[in-house]
Amino acid sequence: MSALALLIGIVPVIGWGFFPTVSSKIGGKPANQILGATIGALIVAFVVFLVTGCGFPTGWNLVFGILSGCGWGFGQIMAFKGYTLIGSSRVMPITTAFQLIVTALWGAFALGSWPGVTNKVIGMIALIVIIIGATLTTWNENKENTNVAALRKAIIYQLVGVIGYWLYSAAPQIENLKWAQGFVPRTTPMSGLQAFLPQAIGMVLVAVIYGITLLKQENVFKQATSYKQIIAGFFFGIAALAYLVAAQPVEKGGLGLSTAFVVSQVSVVIATLTGIYMLGQHKTHKEMVATLIGLALIIVAAAVTAFLN
């Protein structure tokens, strides 16, 4: 493992860690946030496409790449709605936990990434630990100050949104579904760099459709806040690019998929702490201790699931 590969692997931690905080700091409604963020990601993806010459997918690869991006766009809208209700520092651990659980279960039972009974048992225990960790991050010392209705609504948004995040991860892997060969269109293997631009197109597509559905209430396409959010989109896009590079096999100068995945999960720590200290999402001393323990449990359990392959 080279020092350069490790440095590249840290970029997603910073980019994805600051993304929700920067977006929340810029402000606006979820429609503003998703429109600007996806435009920023599209700009990064288009530059990468021009510079690397990685090629543009066609046929079903293009379709699945766009569907993948649509999934992320939908999931992120739900996350933004959660930020509005209870703050990014509380939502990020929840949505991260849900993503880890759904992605791990999909990998284990659809892609066969947890071979053997022992691995499956360990994996399920790790998922329970992730749930415990996420619960700790939402703990409130003073129950009277807890807006239970807002917390419940935010959690429901994340439960719905995780369907989109699942599609984001699953769609590019469709060719690995050996058991579905009879009814799922077959594709040729597609690299992460090749999928990047179609994904960004899908993200923007969802953002535009979402904005159009709100035109009777407000026109987010004419609001300056929407375009200020492009800055937040740069954080996401650069982080996604760095993750694709870091996930390359060690022999090709990367960290490998499992190591890159585990390192990237540290972003939830930055997202949570920056939300608390930069956005003023206050927590008491006991709540901070519970939050830090919860984050540690999430990261350790994520590492366990990543290395069960």
Side-chain angles (χ1 to χ4, degrees), residues 8-9 31 53-54 78 99 108 149 157 163 165 169 178 218 245 259 296:
I8 294 173
C54 57
M78 296 298 107
Q99 287 180 61
Y157 278 143
I163 298 171
Y165 287 127
S169 299
K178 307 301 182 185
E218 58 181 339
V245 175
T259 303

Side-chain angles (χ1 to χ4, degrees), residues 152-207:
R152 184 184 298 115
K153 193 172 183 180
I155 291 174
I156 291 172
Y157 278 143
Q158 305 323 300
L159 278 171
V160 173
V162 80
I163 298 171
Y165 287 127
W166 162 78
L167 183 61
Y168 176 58
S169 299
Q173 301 175 358
I174 201 73
E175 78 277 357
N176 295 325
L177 296 179
K178 307 301 182 185
W179 51 269
Q181 290 183 6
F183 55 91
V184 172
R186 306 310 298 164
T187 63
T188 57
M190 178 172 55
S191 71
L193 285 178
Q194 289 175 323
F196 194 20
L197 183 54
Q199 286 174 333
I201 292 172
M203 294 172 188
V204 173
L205 182 62
V206 166

Side-chain angles (χ1 to χ4, degrees), residues 17-119:
F18 276 95
F19 168 62
T21 302
V22 171
S23 184
S24 298
K25 191 72 174 178
I26 293 172
K29 297 179 179 179
N32 302 113
Q33 293 172 308
I34 194 65
L35 181 62
T38 56
I39 291 174
L42 179 63
I43 292 171
V44 173
F46 188 67
V47 171
V48 170
F49 170 73
L50 292 177
V51 172
T52 64
C54 57
F56 191 73
T58 58
W60 283 107
N61 274 348
L62 176 59
V63 172
F64 289 131
I66 292 175
L67 281 175
S68 172
C70 287
W72 182 89
F74 175 76
Q76 193 58 43
I77 288 171
M78 296 298 107
F80 284 141
K81 284 179 175 289
Y83 299 168
T84 302
L85 289 168
I86 61 174
S88 59
S89 65
R90 291 186 184 275
V91 170
M92 275 301 294
I94 297 171
T95 190
T96 299
F98 286 166
Q99 287 180 61
L100 288 170
I101 291 168
V102 171
T103 302
L105 290 175
W106 172 256
F109 296 101
L111 302 176
S113 58
W114 289 354
V117 175
T118 301
N119 280 358

Side-chain angles (χ1 to χ4, degrees), residues 220-273:
V220 296
F221 302 102
K222 292 184 177 180
Q223 295 174 351
T225 305
S226 296
Y227 301 99
K228 291 178 182 178
Q229 287 287 348
I230 290 175
I231 297 172
F234 288 154
F235 276 82
F236 171 80
I238 292 171
L241 171 62
Y243 178 73
L244 293 174
V245 175
Q248 294 295 306
V250 176
E251 56 270 20
K252 293 185 178 181
L255 296 176
L257 181 60
S258 294
T259 303
F261 172 79
V262 172
V263 172
S264 72
Q265 297 312 300
V266 181
S267 62
V268 69
V269 177
I270 293 180
T272 303
L273 296 182

